[in-house]
Amino acid sequence: MKLETQCLHEGYTPGNGDTRTLPIYQSTTYTYDSTDHIGALFDLTAPGHMYSRISNPTVDAVEQKIAALEGGVGALCTSSGQAATLIAVLNILNAGDHLVSTGTIYGGTINLLAVTLKRLGIETTFVDADASEEELQKAFQPNTKAVFGETIANPAIAVLDIEKFARLAHKNGVPLIVDNTFATPFLCRPFEYGADIVLHSTTKYMDGHAVQMGGVIVDSGNFDWTNGKFPAFTQPDDSYHGLIYTQSFGKAAYITKARVQLMRDFGACQSAFGAFLLNLGLETLPLRMERHCQNADRVAHFLAQSEKVESVSYPTLEGNPYRELAQKYLPKGSSGVVSFTIRGGRDAAVRFMDSLKLASLVVHVADIRTCALHPASATHRQLTDAQLVAAGINPGLIRLSVGLEHIDDILEDLSQALAKV
């Protein structure tokens, strides 16, 4: 099936007389006809659901759909995008390990990697994603266990050269983790370019309607966890009677371990109703992404012509440094998020923001409704000036999430707000 069809039909196939739409299995608990069956579930030798913290039929259907959309062997839904990032990383790295990450990533992820995981004994080196492979290689250490980046960086709107980072990661015997939130699998499927693990904040475009928090991790099934660097996958897990993930689950070793070990212990699970709402968003994802991209392209070109705007970051613009990468990795569009810098710095940006009428001022992005954010005052407020610059953030920078309204109405709102700067 093509992706547009997968969005509607993957994950749940009704049988004769079954409900046409995905049912909500709003239950924490499941019943069995024997203690032996329950024992087999806890030994991971029988399929089925033991407890909704681990798995749930509604959530499972959505996980299967997302795995199919990304082209992976399995997926794990989480309670938020941050939870997905945390579990994706901790499923690989332990205290004493090292991570290489691009610097132009979401501020919340920077905090997680640079502050919280550092307290847990995991060090992160942030690198310039546009540096040469020779320069990037210098960031790797003997204890490096993974590489992290975003397909489209939030809020810098920089495009990741996935193949370059996949080559570097694999040269060093480690996996590449890609946050594909802004692109979604409709615009880019990172596994096709060598990425090993993909994650999303499903709160964004996958949901699309700002109604449900969520995240997801997808496993390509392509990375070789038996290369000697990852004993957690190749040595017995005492909490499952000595089970060895690579032996018991093969290509699905990574995503299985994430579920039955980390989700079991951290409990950052998605609810059945949350998965149901996410599925509704996924069903219209292709249509929405097409319109988001069309509107954002118009907005970017409009802003680029304004004398009140110092610069605009959107990959379809002439002269944008990521235009060539976008044509390679994002041929169908570059998402609905545009970053631009107002002349006059922080004060001018605040005046523009406070003058908007149609666009909402929210701490959110990737919504069907146009919304705006001044990162230096909000999501990235906690970063130092040096970190702001590394993340591509200027005090006058505004992140505009272009919605599905008529383009004329969006442009009119931007015009009247710019007139007041």
Side-chain angles (χ1 to χ4, degrees):
M1 292 186 287
K2 302 297 184 185
L3 186 137
E4 291 84 349
T5 308
Q6 289 180 309
C7 283
L8 293 168
H9 293 281
E10 286 283 8
Y12 172 68
T13 303
N16 184 42
D18 286 346
T19 58
R20 182 64 193 88
T21 57
L22 175 65
I24 304 171
Y25 289 91
Q26 194 64 45
S27 178
T28 63
T29 311
Y30 309 91
T31 60
Y32 314 96
D33 56 11
S34 74
T35 54
D36 284 345
H37 188 174
I38 298 174
L41 289 172
F42 277 84
D43 285 340
L44 307 181
T45 58
H49 305 283
M50 64 180 88
Y51 196 58
S52 282
R53 184 173 76 246
I54 310 297
S55 64
N56 169 280
T58 307
V59 180
D60 175 65
V62 178
E63 290 169 342
Q64 290 185 48
K65 175 175 288 189
I66 295 173
L69 296 178
E70 285 286 9
V73 297
L76 174 66
C77 282
T78 64
S79 57
S80 69
Q82 281 289 85
T85 305
L86 176 69
I87 291 175
V89 172
L90 290 186
N91 199 36
I92 304 170
L93 284 82
N94 299 306
D97 288 338
H98 175 255
L99 177 74
V100 173
S101 173
T102 58
T104 47
I105 57 174
Y106 169 55
T109 306
I110 292 176
N111 279 341
L112 172 64
L113 302 181
V115 179
T116 302
L117 290 188
K118 184 176 182 179
R119 290 175 182 158
L120 300 180
I122 296 171
E123 296 285 341
T124 299
T125 297
F126 294 96
V127 298
D128 178 1
D130 300 329
S132 67
E133 291 188 43
E134 292 74 20
E135 188 65 26
L136 291 168
Q137 178 60 43
K138 297 176 184 177
F140 285 82
Q141 302 174 10
N143 59 339
T144 301
K145 294 296 178 67
V147 179
F148 185 92
E150 295 177 354
T151 308
I152 302 174
N154 174 16
I157 319 301
V159 180
L160 183 71
D161 190 341
I162 301 172
E163 287 187 342
K164 178 176 77 173
F165 277 87
R167 280 195 304 271
L168 273 167
H170 298 158
K171 174 184 175 182
N172 289 274
V174 302
L176 172 62
I177 306 171
V178 173
D179 183 333
N180 200 35
T181 296
F182 275 11
T184 80
F186 178 72
L187 299 179
C188 181
R189 291 174 20 128
F191 293 156
E192 296 176 355
Y193 301 101
D196 302 292
I197 298 149
V198 160
L199 60 88
H200 295 262
S201 169
T202 63
T203 316
K204 309 306 189 295
Y205 283 123
M206 282 189 166
D207 169 282
H209 298 75
V211 295
Q212 178 65 38
M213 298 288 291
V216 69
I217 307 165
V218 190
D219 181 4
S220 70
N222 294 329
F223 189 77
D224 179 14
W225 300 104
T226 66
N227 67 4
K229 285 179 173 284
F230 305 96
F233 292 92
T234 59
Q235 294 181 5
D237 182 346
D238 292 338
S239 67
Y240 285 108
H241 309 295
L243 175 145
I244 296 174
Y245 291 100
T246 51
Q247 291 183 3
S248 296
F249 302 104
K251 286 183 173 294
Y254 172 87
I255 202 66
T256 302
K257 178 176 176 292
R259 179 186 303 279
V260 303
Q261 188 184 80
L262 296 188
M263 185 61 78
R264 176 198 65 190
D265 294 343
F266 292 162
C269 58
Q270 180 58 274
S271 69
F273 188 60
F276 172 81
L277 293 173
L278 172 56
N279 187 61
L280 291 179
L282 289 169
E283 289 180 339
T284 61
L285 179 67
L287 292 170
R288 289 187 289 105
M289 292 309 295
E290 285 182 353
R291 177 60 68 85
H292 279 299
C293 293
Q294 291 169 5
N295 281 355
D297 180 72
R298 288 281 303 277
V299 164
H301 282 83
F302 166 80
L303 291 170
Q305 296 171 4
S306 172
E307 62 181 16
K308 302 287 184 74
V309 176
E310 182 178 318
S311 62
V312 182
S313 295
Y314 194 72
T316 62
L317 292 174
E318 291 283 349
N320 183 278
Y322 301 102
R323 195 162 190 258
E324 187 175 337
L325 286 175
Q327 290 171 342
K328 175 180 179 178
Y329 295 116
L330 303 160
K332 292 189 288 187
S334 297
S335 89
V337 185
V338 179
S339 284
F340 63 101
T341 301
I342 296 284
R343 293 189 189 280
R346 183 185 297 267
D347 291 343
V350 170
R351 277 198 301 277
F352 171 85
M353 292 282 292
D354 292 345
S355 299
L356 292 168
K357 296 180 179 179
L358 177 68
S360 302
L361 275 60
V362 299
V363 186
H364 185 55
V365 69
D367 189 359
I368 54 173
R369 292 159 286 266
T370 296
C371 50
L373 179 76
H374 182 220
S377 298
T379 53
H380 292 66
R381 190 183 189 92
Q382 71 278 22
L383 300 187
T384 66
D385 287 347
Q387 288 175 321
L388 283 171
V389 172
I393 300 170
N394 180 289
L397 180 75
I398 289 170
R399 184 186 69 185
L400 186 70
S401 179
V402 183
L404 305 185
E405 301 93 344
H406 194 286
I407 187 60
D408 291 348
D409 294 327
I410 298 172
L411 296 180
E412 183 178 347
D413 190 34
L414 297 176
S415 294
Q416 64 84 24
L418 284 169
K420 296 174 183 174
V421 172

